[in-house]
Amino acid sequence: MIYTESELINLHKCSIYKLDALTYLDEDLIVDVGISTNSMITTNRPQDFSYGVLSPKGLEYFGRSQDELNQSGAEFLMERLHPETAKNIIPALTSFYNIKDPNNVFTDIQVARRDIGEEYTPFLTSSKISKNGNFLTFNIPLKELGSFGNKIQRELEISKKFQQMLPQFHTLSKKEKEILNFIGQGLTNKEIGDRLLCSSNTARTHRMNIYRKLSISKLREAIDWAITFSLI
């Protein structure tokens, strides 16, 4: 069966409710559920997000035993989360936990790595406050989600590119952003001058300043900037 994107996310959210119902009497049952479903399931302590119980797939991912993870503390997790995930997701999860709503689910994309120095992997992640008071989390690598995972991965790459380009984009004045819009549309210096009621030489000077501020030298690069920041 092929699911739509919304159906896939809803199924993911439903899974966390089922997990909570199955494991609330004994969190160690996460191991059994993880084995039977081949899923990456974790619990995290709300006070510092350190790991509690992990399913075998989670232990395999990190290459650690349960005892090692129990002793590792919060530093282990923070060293493996992508800085942007740590900066944005942890505060959001803290706020989510403080609401104390056991019937709600927090679903997002988290980016983590197996160990320091290794490549990061994006996960579709759903978390809820378990009946035991911990965070119960169900993780699926995006690469296991087929075309939907590929789409999310592309959006993440666009977002990362956007964040990297943002500081330089902010060096442009309001008029330069307007001119970048015209450049992205393929207008010549004369056509831009006609739009702004100025000479083509003035338009050319603006174009050169934009290219200098954005460290670009070709029209296609200017078009890329205009598209990235939704100017065209």
Side-chain angles (χ1 to χ4, degrees), residues 3-69:
Y3 296 104
T4 65
E5 294 174 10
S6 59
E7 287 173 336
L8 186 60
I9 291 177
N10 285 332
L11 282 170
H12 195 253
K13 290 182 176 181
C14 287
S15 297
I16 202 72
Y17 286 106
K18 293 178 182 177
L19 286 170
D20 195 20
L22 287 169
T23 62
Y24 83 96
L25 291 177
D26 183 358
E27 285 190 345
D28 288 338
L29 289 174
I30 286 174
V31 175
D32 296 330
V33 176
I35 291 173
S36 63
T37 61
N38 192 31
S39 300
M40 187 172 177
I41 309 166
T42 68
T43 63
N44 295 83
R45 302 178 183 93
Q47 62 269 26
D48 60 5
F49 293 95
S50 59
Y51 283 114
V53 179
L54 273 76
S55 66
K57 190 170 184 177
L59 296 175
E60 180 185 354
Y61 176 77
F62 288 116
R64 299 291 194 281
S65 68
Q66 183 65 67
D67 287 341
E68 287 175 323
L69 284 178

Side-chain angles (χ1 to χ4, degrees), residues 45-49 86 88-100 106 129 135:
R45 302 178 183 93
Q47 62 269 26
D48 60 5
F49 293 95
N88 298 318
I89 302 301
I90 295 298
L93 273 172
T94 301
S95 297
F96 172 80
Y97 185 83
N98 289 336
I99 295 173
K100 303 294 184 184
F106 186 98
I129 303 171
F135 275 114

Side-chain angles (χ1 to χ4, degrees), residues 200-215:
S200 60
N201 285 335
T202 299
R204 179 175 178 275
T205 298
H206 282 307
R207 183 189 292 258
M208 292 174 62
N209 287 334
I210 292 169
Y211 278 32
R212 174 180 54 79
K213 287 183 177 182
L214 300 184
S215 302

Side-chain angles (χ1 to χ4, degrees), residues 132-174:
N132 297 315
N134 289 326
F135 275 114
L136 179 63
T137 303
F138 178 36
N139 309 280
I140 302 180
L142 292 189
K143 63 182 180 182
E144 295 183 9
L145 294 175
S147 59
F148 177 49
N150 291 336
K151 178 180 178 181
I152 296 177
Q153 181 65 53
R154 287 195 298 272
E155 290 175 351
L156 285 173
E157 290 171 355
I158 292 172
S159 176
K160 180 179 179 181
K161 180 179 180 181
F162 179 91
Q163 293 295 330
Q164 291 173 337
M165 297 165 72
L166 190 59
Q168 275 186 282
F169 182 73
H170 279 326
T171 64
L172 300 182
S173 67
K174 183 177 179 180

